Amino acid sequence: MRGDERLICEAKGRTSEKGIDADIAYGRLLRRMTSREARIRYALVVPSSSMKAVERVPAHVRALLRIDLYEVTDDGVVRGRRL
């Protein structure tokens, strides 16, 4: 939590099945979307190698669903992509 904001995430590690794992991550995150409160945001947290797979869902769709993306680089830097 930050202030009165709450972030609900689904995190994935490195995998050889990036596309399938991205689809599973979206599904798991969607099941957690039980609130309509504007203070709640949702995010997928994935390694750099999986960014292309999670970006297959168009940005306008992620914006409608309030899903942000967080990239974790190989050296542990986290880069947020809030919509």
Side-chain angles (χ1 to χ4, degrees), residues 18-19 22-23 26 46-58 62 69 71 81:
K18 294 168 186 60
D23 293 346
Y26 273 112
V46 298
S48 297
S49 60
S50 295
M51 284 303 293
K52 186 179 258 186
V54 296
E55 288 177 328
R56 291 183 311 180
V57 172
R62 293 191 318 265
L69 301 178
E71 172 185 8
R81 297 185 185 189

Side-chain angles (χ1 to χ4, degrees), residues 4-5 7 12-14 16 34-35 40-41 46-48 51 55 62 64-65 74-75 78-79:
D4 68 344
E5 284 186 321
L7 181 63
K12 288 292 180 192
R14 287 178 186 81
S16 62
T34 58
S35 176
I40 297 177
R41 299 211 44 103
V46 298
S48 297
M51 284 303 293
E55 288 177 328
R62 293 191 318 265
L64 286 170
L65 295 171
D74 290 339
D75 56 351
V78 178
R79 297 183 183 136

Side-chain angles (χ1 to χ4, degrees), residues 33 58-67 83:
M33 298 176 116
H60 73 276
V61 173
R62 293 191 318 265
L64 286 170
L65 295 171
R66 298 185 329 249
I67 296 176
L83 295 170

Side-chain angles (χ1 to χ4, degrees), residues 20-49:
I20 292 169
D21 286 340
D23 293 346
I24 291 169
Y26 273 112
R28 289 181 177 172
L29 188 60
L30 288 171
R31 284 193 303 274
R32 291 191 185 121
M33 298 176 116
T34 58
S35 176
R36 293 184 181 188
E37 291 184 43
R39 67 181 187 87
I40 297 177
R41 299 211 44 103
Y42 301 91
L44 291 179
V45 182
V46 298
S48 297
S49 60

